[in-house]
């Protein structure tokens, strides 16, 4: 599959690049996509939820009533989970939600996600560029020139670029990421991928 290379003004440069069929043209595997997205979201969880059990409640440990003869249930201390203000039974405790996935599974998931974007014609290739200063307005103009404004855009750069990153930071529907850090979740979360030429080479080197 060949894609025309555009400049940041949205004009064709006269060049075309071939998307690697081994990355952008495979048979997508939905199950590994599910696993990779599940792992990504699990890794975002802080796992700090905590509730107090009866032994941790600050309250009197005096027995509320006598054991027998009261005509009701045998209550212990006021920290009982049965009473208002008492402890909680089987409440959440701090834990780590992350889990391991094999490297090949994660690679297949990213290839599958990129293939879906290629099938949807949701990949725009631009020549490498740089911004002289962080300007949100300039990033918005680039999106308009590439006819991706109004869509959720993921711009993939070959390496960290502070000016481009800061230019997109205030835009709710735009994200900038380095090619080596592209994840299945980020790919699927975007409506369209804007990939620079050198980023394609990086992706080929990682997934090819």
């Amino acid at each position: 599959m060949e894609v025309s290379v555009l400049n940041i003004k949205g004009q064709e440069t006269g060049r075309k690049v071939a998307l690697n069929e081994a990355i952008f043209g495979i048979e997508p595997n939905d199950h590994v996509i599910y696993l990779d997205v599940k792992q990504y979201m699990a890794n975002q969880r802080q796992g700090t939820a905590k509730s107090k059990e009866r032994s941790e409640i600050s309250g009197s440990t005096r027995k509320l009533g006598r054991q027998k003869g009261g005509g009701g249930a045998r209550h212990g201390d006021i920290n009982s989970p049965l009473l208002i203000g008492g402890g909680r039974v089987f409440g959440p405790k701090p834990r780590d939600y992350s889990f391991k996935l094999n490297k090949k599974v994660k690679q297949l998931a990213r290839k599958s996600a990129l293939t879906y974007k290629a099938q949807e014609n949701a990949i725009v290739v631009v020549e490498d560029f740089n911004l002289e200063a962080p300007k949100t307005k300039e990033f918005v103009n680039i999106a308009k020139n590439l006819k991706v404004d109004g869509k959720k855009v993921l711009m993939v750069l070959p390496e960290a670029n502070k000016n481009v990153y800061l230019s997109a930071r205030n835009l709710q529907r735009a994200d900038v990421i380095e090619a080596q850090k592209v994840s299945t979740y980020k790919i699927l979360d975007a409506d369209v991928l804007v990939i620079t030429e050198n980023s394609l080479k990086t992706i080929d080197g990682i997934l090819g």
Side-chain angles (χ1 to χ4, degrees):
M1 179 180 178
E2 287 193 336
V3 180
S4 297
V5 179
L6 308 178
N7 58 27
I8 57 175
K9 293 181 180 178
Q11 303 163 339
E12 291 199 13
T13 60
R15 301 194 310 277
K16 289 190 175 184
V17 291
L19 299 181
N20 190 339
E21 288 293 319
I23 298 174
F24 297 90
I26 68 166
E27 182 68 34
N29 187 316
D30 291 340
H31 183 62
V32 295
I33 288 178
Y34 158 75
L35 290 175
D36 199 11
V37 171
K38 181 181 178 182
Q39 187 202 38
Y40 177 89
M41 298 185 75
N43 290 345
Q44 307 307 305
R45 299 184 69 173
Q46 288 185 321
T48 55
K50 171 76 171 70
S51 65
K52 290 185 177 181
E53 298 180 351
R54 67 184 297 167
S55 63
E56 299 171 302
I57 295 291
S58 176
S60 173
T61 57
R62 178 180 66 86
K63 187 170 171 63
L64 295 179
R66 56 184 180 171
Q67 179 75 359
K68 300 178 70 174
R74 299 167 292 177
H75 280 304
D77 58 49
I78 203 169
N79 304 331
S80 168
L82 300 176
L83 302 177
I84 294 175
R88 182 173 172 185
V89 182
F90 305 130
K93 294 181 179 180
R95 55 169 288 195
D96 180 12
Y97 287 91
S98 64
F99 61 93
K100 183 181 180 298
L101 267 187
N102 290 336
K103 184 177 178 180
K104 287 186 177 179
V105 171
K106 293 177 70 67
Q107 285 185 335
L108 179 58
R110 276 181 286 177
K111 289 179 183 179
S112 299
L114 289 169
T115 296
Y116 274 127
K117 289 302 177 189
Q119 290 175 353
E120 296 164 5
N121 292 319
I123 295 177
V124 177
V125 179
V126 297
E127 62 182 5
D128 295 295
F129 69 96
N130 189 23
L131 301 180
E132 294 181 1
K135 285 189 178 179
T136 303
K137 187 175 181 180
E138 198 163 340
F139 190 94
V140 171
N141 287 335
I142 292 173
K144 285 181 180 177
N145 294 338
L146 297 175
K147 297 179 181 177
V148 296
D149 54 317
K151 298 180 180 179
K152 198 164 188 180
V153 178
L154 178 65
M155 182 167 283
V156 185
L157 302 177
E159 56 189 19
N161 188 312
K162 189 176 181 181
N163 288 345
V164 177
Y165 170 74
L166 292 176
S167 298
R169 186 171 60 175
N170 286 338
L171 299 174
Q172 192 174 5
R173 296 175 65 79
D175 197 4
V176 176
I177 196 169
E178 296 169 51
Q180 60 186 9
K181 295 181 180 178
V182 168
S183 66
T184 305
Y185 179 88
K186 290 283 188 181
I187 295 168
L188 295 177
D189 189 45
D191 295 327
V192 60
L193 304 181
V194 176
I195 308 176
T196 64
E197 285 184 277
N198 276 331
S199 296
L200 272 181
K201 295 176 184 176
T202 302
I203 292 172
D204 277 350
I206 296 171
L207 301 177

